[in-house]
Amino acid sequence: MKKILLLSDTHSYIDDTILKYVAQSDEVWHAGDIGDLAVTDTIKKLKPLRCVYGNIDDAKARLEFPLHNRFMCEGVDVWITHIGGYPGKYSPNIKAEMVANPPKLFICGHSHILKVIFDKKNNLLHMNPGAAGKSGYHQVRTMLRFVIEGDKIKDLEIIEIEKKP
């Protein structure tokens, strides 16, 4: 069993509230737009991190993290990328792979809009945790927390950190 904290779009921002949830997790997954690598360096000191770079991330982030991160977590095939679209409207650069070899859990960020959708056509769960940072048009900072046990994804929680001023 693994307790996962999923966040995205920190845009160089990390605070004690995010770190409180990091400490409660077994692993942290970041779906891109990290900003300053101090964010991921801080997380890595506390917990294992799986991460991808996003469109705002610089050459240092692109050297450290991949554009796509596909891996197994227990019995769940996971694919994380930053710009992925959503069921019915996947990004053109991933559409063929999504159809040919869909994961069980597909994660992306970028939109700053929290979404969890079951894609019936590809038989997968799509997650976008929204944005944990303060930059962007979103009104509420959000993250997701869930458990992977064997081949099951369960106990999904939406974490609303705060409304932006």
Side-chain angles (χ1 to χ4, degrees), residues 108-121:
C108 62
H110 186 62
S111 70
H112 292 220
I113 299 168
L114 186 145
K115 287 185 185 180
V116 178
I117 304 168
F118 186 75
D119 178 346
K120 292 178 189 171
K121 185 176 177 185

Side-chain angles (χ1 to χ4, degrees), residues 5-8 17-19 21-22 114 129-132 141-145 157-161:
L5 177 66
L6 174 60
L7 66 157
S8 187
T17 302
I18 293 171
L19 293 174
Y21 287 101
V22 167
L114 186 145
R141 297 171 48 224
T142 56
M143 302 183 293
L144 292 172
R145 184 165 58 176
E157 296 175 73
I158 294 169
I159 300 166
E160 292 185 344
I161 302 170

Side-chain angles (χ1 to χ4, degrees), residues 12-163:
S12 302
Y13 186 79
I14 193 161
D15 63 12
D16 289 341
T17 302
I18 293 171
L19 293 174
K20 175 183 87 171
Y21 287 101
V22 167
Q24 295 170 3
S25 303
D26 295 321
E27 288 186 11
V28 177
W29 300 351
H30 194 303
D33 277 5
I34 304 156
D36 191 321
L37 289 181
V39 170
T40 50
D41 290 345
T42 301
I43 293 168
K44 286 190 295 186
K45 287 177 187 171
L46 299 171
K47 297 292 174 170
L49 173 69
R50 297 181 190 261
C51 188
V52 296
Y53 71 79
N55 57 295
I56 68 129
D57 292 318
D58 64 12
K60 281 184 178 178
R62 291 166 192 244
L63 284 172
E64 185 168 348
F65 301 109
L67 174 62
H68 301 283
N69 193 348
R70 189 146 185 188
F71 57 92
M72 291 297 292
C73 180
E74 299 221 357
V76 175
D77 181 3
V78 180
W79 180 359
I80 304 175
T81 195
H82 183 61
I83 301 175
Y86 52 92
K89 294 191 178 185
Y90 290 115
S91 296
N93 63 334
I94 66 157
K95 202 172 204 174
E97 179 69 13
M98 185 65 74
V99 171
N101 186 18
K104 183 167 185 161
L105 176 58
F106 180 69
I107 295 168
C108 62
H110 186 62
S111 70
H112 292 220
I113 299 168
L114 186 145
K115 287 185 185 180
V116 178
I117 304 168
F118 186 75
D119 178 346
K120 292 178 189 171
K121 185 176 177 185
N122 294 301
N123 193 35
L124 63 89
L125 185 60
H126 170 276
M127 290 186 187
N128 183 323
K134 290 192 171 187
S135 296
Y137 66 89
H138 58 282
Q139 297 301 305
V140 180
R141 297 171 48 224
T142 56
M143 302 183 293
L144 292 172
R145 184 165 58 176
F146 55 95
V147 170
I148 293 182
E149 187 169 13
D151 64 351
K152 304 278 189 262
I153 303 161
K154 60 184 200 173
D155 300 334
L156 177 64
E157 296 175 73
I158 294 169
I159 300 166
E160 292 185 344
I161 302 170
E162 68 178 359
K163 285 196 173 208

